[in-house]
Amino acid sequence: MLRDREPVTLRSLVAGTGVSTMAVYTYFGGIDGVWRSVRQEGFTRLERKLVDIGDTDDPLADFTAQLATYVQYAFDDPDLFRVMFDATIELEDLQAADDILERLVRSVRRCRDDSRFRADVDPLGFATQCWMLCHGLVSLIATGPLPFDRLAHAPSMLHAQFVGVGADPDTCDTSIQEGWVAPTARP
């Protein structure tokens, strides 16, 4: 999926578009500006998808849905996803990445405030752990060595995470089943 890609050059970027390389310099300042804009767009699109999930009466199902959306987003556009997390490219607006984390933190806070998680759960710390879990799983699948079907383990991994911070195992399973939409691979 993300393997064996040819490097993108300014000429290959504009080839067949009818746009000159000069236009790229005019509007983006060169190839680095294009990459900054692409990276920014990736975070902006992901944040919109997370906003679209909204809130229900089950904050744990909502949090699970956000994590599932993150995973699906990675497979919907793997090249964009890869650029989003390329730290060699500056991010135009750091708030865009922070907004994604803050949305997850807000969900963890809702779970804690609804007594789905223990009162001592640190929303930032736990949201970061869950993001890392999903990102790590996606990375291992997208770049190898794990096959796509290993994503089937994600709900049980989330269950362990959630129960570890105080979620009731039975209601936790119900919330995960409601919030987790099994990601599909894209060719």
Side-chain angles (χ1 to χ4, degrees):
M1 180 183 314
L2 297 177
R3 300 178 202 115
D4 302 326
R5 300 287 185 187
E6 291 294 321
V8 176
T9 64
L10 191 52
R11 289 195 191 286
S12 67
L13 180 67
V14 299
T17 66
V19 174
S20 71
T21 56
M22 191 60 205
V24 174
Y25 283 104
T26 301
Y27 292 103
F28 296 99
I31 193 77
D32 289 343
V34 171
W35 285 122
R36 278 190 301 277
S37 293
V38 169
R39 187 172 187 219
Q40 188 70 46
E41 183 63 20
F43 280 105
T44 300
R45 287 180 186 185
L46 176 55
E47 213 270 328
R48 270 190 240 126
K49 287 185 176 292
L50 295 178
V51 167
D52 288 346
I53 292 169
D55 293 342
T56 68
D57 291 339
D58 186 346
L60 191 53
D62 298 342
F63 183 47
T64 302
Q66 289 174 337
L67 296 171
T69 297
Y70 178 82
V71 170
Q72 183 62 61
Y73 186 80
F75 291 105
D76 283 347
D77 196 338
D79 293 325
L80 178 60
F81 190 79
R82 185 185 70 224
V83 171
M84 286 172 60
F85 294 99
D86 184 344
T88 65
I89 302 168
E90 287 181 46
L91 193 58
E92 292 175 347
D93 176 14
L94 292 173
Q95 190 61 46
D98 289 346
D99 288 346
I100 291 167
L101 179 56
E102 182 52 39
R103 186 149 300 280
L104 299 175
V105 168
R106 180 181 169 275
S107 291
V108 172
R109 192 175 296 119
R110 283 183 63 224
C111 290
R112 184 192 63 191
D113 294 348
D114 194 45
S115 300
R116 301 298 300 273
F117 295 156
R118 286 189 317 269
D120 67 344
V121 169
D122 169 33
L124 175 60
F126 190 66
T128 302
Q129 288 175 26
C130 291
W131 188 355
M132 290 168 50
L133 182 146
C134 289
H135 189 82
L137 189 56
V138 164
S139 295
L140 288 168
I141 292 169
T143 60
L146 295 181
F148 185 81
D149 67 358
R150 293 305 190 268
L151 272 176
H153 296 287
S156 63
M157 294 166 68
L158 291 176
H159 173 89
Q161 289 287 107
F162 296 164
V163 170
V165 293
D168 173 79
D170 296 329
T171 58
C172 177
D173 281 341
T174 301
S175 295
I176 291 172
Q177 289 171 5
E178 184 165 324
W180 186 261
V181 175
T184 54
R186 299 289 189 252

